[in-house]
Amino acid sequence: MFKWDKIRSITEAVDQMRIFRDHEYGFQPELEIQQALHRYLKEYCEQDLHAVASTQDNNFRRHSSSSSLSGTLKKVKEKLQSKKK
């Protein structure tokens, strides 16, 4: 099963990296950021990225079905309470 949102995010990031690589920017290199990125790459190269991603809540989009379900349950509860009166 594919997680299309995740695949879409990855392709957008790859596309942005390709564009960045093809265009020269006048920024000064930030050695601290480069070192941090290298450290993260070394840290995660041996790990299962699906397992790492599953521990992060922001990688999963919330569906509105739970809110519509709770709204429906509230309506049913109100109807039942009005019938008791």
Side-chain angles (χ1 to χ4, degrees):
M1 181 170 211
F2 296 106
K3 294 183 180 179
W4 294 109
D5 291 334
K6 182 185 275 188
I7 292 172
R8 189 176 303 113
S9 297
I10 291 170
T11 57
E12 288 172 358
V14 169
D15 191 44
Q16 289 174 358
M17 285 188 264
R18 182 189 55 80
I19 291 169
F20 185 78
R21 185 190 64 209
D22 292 344
H23 293 80
E24 186 174 326
Y25 292 93
F27 300 122
Q28 296 296 322
E30 291 286 336
L31 296 178
E32 187 176 320
I33 294 174
Q34 289 177 355
Q35 290 171 349
L37 288 173
H38 284 290
R39 187 173 60 248
Y40 292 139
L41 287 172
K42 286 179 185 177
E43 179 181 340
Y44 290 120
C45 74
E46 299 294 324
Q47 295 183 12
D48 180 18
L49 293 181
H50 292 287
V52 173
S54 68
T55 62
Q56 304 296 317
D57 290 335
N58 59 353
N59 287 329
F60 299 99
R61 294 190 179 179
R62 304 290 182 237
H63 298 286
S64 62
S65 62
S66 62
S67 63
S68 64
L69 177 63
S70 63
T72 304
L73 290 174
K74 285 180 184 180
K75 289 178 185 177
V76 170
K77 184 179 176 181
E78 290 171 0
K79 282 184 179 181
L80 290 173
Q81 287 178 347
S82 66
K83 286 184 180 181
K84 286 183 180 180
K85 293 180 181 180

